[in-house]
Amino acid sequence: MSADKTATARYSLAADEFMFVELSEEMTLEAFFRSISITQRLKAMSVPGIIEICPANASYQVRYDPDQLSAASLQEVLESLDREVSAQQVRNIETRVIEVPVLYNDPWTHETLMRFRDRHQDPSGTDLDYAARINGYDSVEAFIEAHSGSPWFVSMVGFVAGLPFMYQMVPRERQIQVPKYLRPRTDTPKQTVGYGGCFSCIYSVRGAGGYQMFGVTPMPIYDPFDQQPHIDDSMIFFRPGDIVKHRPIDRDEYDRLLADAEAGHYEPRVVPFTFDLDDFNRDPDGYASRVKEVLHDH
């Protein structure tokens, strides 16, 4: 039994309406699975007084109304759910697999990264050149194959509205690791696929950023103007627990999909999926192939 599965959670009050729960000091799939499992169960319970539930990488936060629910009572509920999740024999969650088309090495992030080269660890190349080299890949093409070849868990959504943080579903020794820029940029194109530390992300809006830039997706992920049928009233497409599979595309397909998105006709490929943590741990590569097959068969 892993340490993440049995580690004692730390419960902390934040102001009068929030409780923060830290499950692990480091990000692992075990800790993430525990966070998602607890928060999914908590949502299903519809406890009076709970206003909002926000899962994260190895923690979660609950906003509650202290006039309806005391901090002590809330903690009792959360501790009970933690015991239930830690004791379960079958560890799975209901989620969905989402295909994200990506134009790697696109002209817009390339122009941006060249403007901010003085803030980068290696001004002589591109972000993809740097990421490929420090991770031991012989070429940018091989690095792109590694980035797009494995599935990713959306471990949290936030920092900027709709921005998904994604954790690579491979053994830890094979995870891509890339530092952020030495100094943040003041510009990043919307829907840039970025990378910092062990996390990939998609920038939901144009703005400042410090992650390495690998490409862009034409898929809308944030819709404050209610123009995208695949995004509900929350305005945000991704949810913690989603499994993402990147698919490299060329410029022609990017332009076609972008035109669909601008016309409000974009249809993402989304498939319901039951994720089993123990099956994944037994055969990560086989599980990645299953995720690809689910999309292919849909």
Side-chain angles (χ1 to χ4, degrees), residues 78-138:
L78 301 181
E79 289 175 342
S80 175
L81 289 174
D82 198 0
R83 289 192 296 270
E84 178 185 321
V85 167
S86 297
Q88 65 181 338
Q89 297 301 309
V90 178
R91 298 191 289 168
N92 56 41
I93 56 174
E94 296 302 322
T95 184
R96 55 186 184 168
V97 177
I98 301 166
E99 183 179 83
V100 176
V102 180
L103 177 61
Y104 288 92
N105 211 6
D106 66 283
W108 305 283
T109 60
H110 180 83
E111 185 276 332
T112 303
L113 66 87
M114 296 308 293
R115 272 193 285 132
F116 292 96
R117 221 64 211 139
D118 62 324
R119 307 185 185 203
H120 196 273
Q121 292 87 348
D122 182 6
S124 65
T126 67
D127 292 6
L128 278 167
D129 292 332
Y130 175 70
R133 177 171 56 79
I134 68 171
N135 282 279
Y137 291 94
D138 294 335

Side-chain angles (χ1 to χ4, degrees), residues 81-230:
L81 289 174
D82 198 0
R83 289 192 296 270
E84 178 185 321
V85 167
S86 297
Q88 65 181 338
Q89 297 301 309
V90 178
R91 298 191 289 168
N92 56 41
I93 56 174
E94 296 302 322
T95 184
R96 55 186 184 168
V97 177
I98 301 166
E99 183 179 83
V100 176
V102 180
L103 177 61
Y104 288 92
N105 211 6
D106 66 283
W108 305 283
T109 60
H110 180 83
E111 185 276 332
T112 303
L113 66 87
M114 296 308 293
R115 272 193 285 132
F116 292 96
R117 221 64 211 139
D118 62 324
R119 307 185 185 203
H120 196 273
Q121 292 87 348
D122 182 6
S124 65
T126 67
D127 292 6
L128 278 167
D129 292 332
Y130 175 70
R133 177 171 56 79
I134 68 171
N135 282 279
Y137 291 94
D138 294 335
S139 65
V140 165
E141 291 73 22
F143 178 79
I144 291 172
E145 183 176 347
H147 184 269
S148 62
S150 63
W152 301 73
F153 250 131
V154 176
S155 57
M156 63 176 288
V157 179
F159 186 71
V160 174
L163 184 151
F165 288 88
M166 295 175 283
Y167 187 75
Q168 193 177 18
M169 295 170 62
V170 296
R172 175 159 294 197
E173 64 273 11
R174 284 167 44 198
Q175 284 180 348
I176 295 169
Q177 300 278 343
V178 184
K180 295 187 288 185
Y181 274 44
L182 297 175
R183 290 185 294 128
R185 301 177 303 274
T186 57
D187 191 20
T188 307
K190 182 177 74 171
Q191 293 168 199
T192 288
V193 175
Y195 210 103
C198 64
F199 289 100
S200 188
C201 79
I202 302 174
Y203 285 77
S204 53
V205 297
R206 182 178 182 180
Y211 277 23
Q212 309 285 336
M213 296 182 290
F214 296 163
V216 293
T217 178
M219 186 176 84
I221 65 171
Y222 176 55
D223 182 26
F225 304 110
D226 194 25
Q227 297 174 339
Q228 300 297 332
H230 69 284

Side-chain angles (χ1 to χ4, degrees), residues 15 21 25 34 49 54 57 93 114 116 122 149 166 187 243 262 293:
V21 184
E25 293 183 351
R34 188 174 161 198
C54 182
N57 300 324
I93 56 174
M114 296 308 293
F116 292 96
D122 182 6
M166 295 175 283
D187 191 20
I243 297 174
E262 291 175 342
E293 290 169 5

Side-chain angles (χ1 to χ4, degrees), residues 36-54:
I36 288 293
S37 298
I38 292 170
T39 53
Q40 283 188 350
R41 284 167 167 76
L42 182 62
K43 181 179 180 181
M45 291 173 66
S46 299
V47 177
I50 290 182
I51 300 170
E52 189 172 8
I53 305 165
C54 182

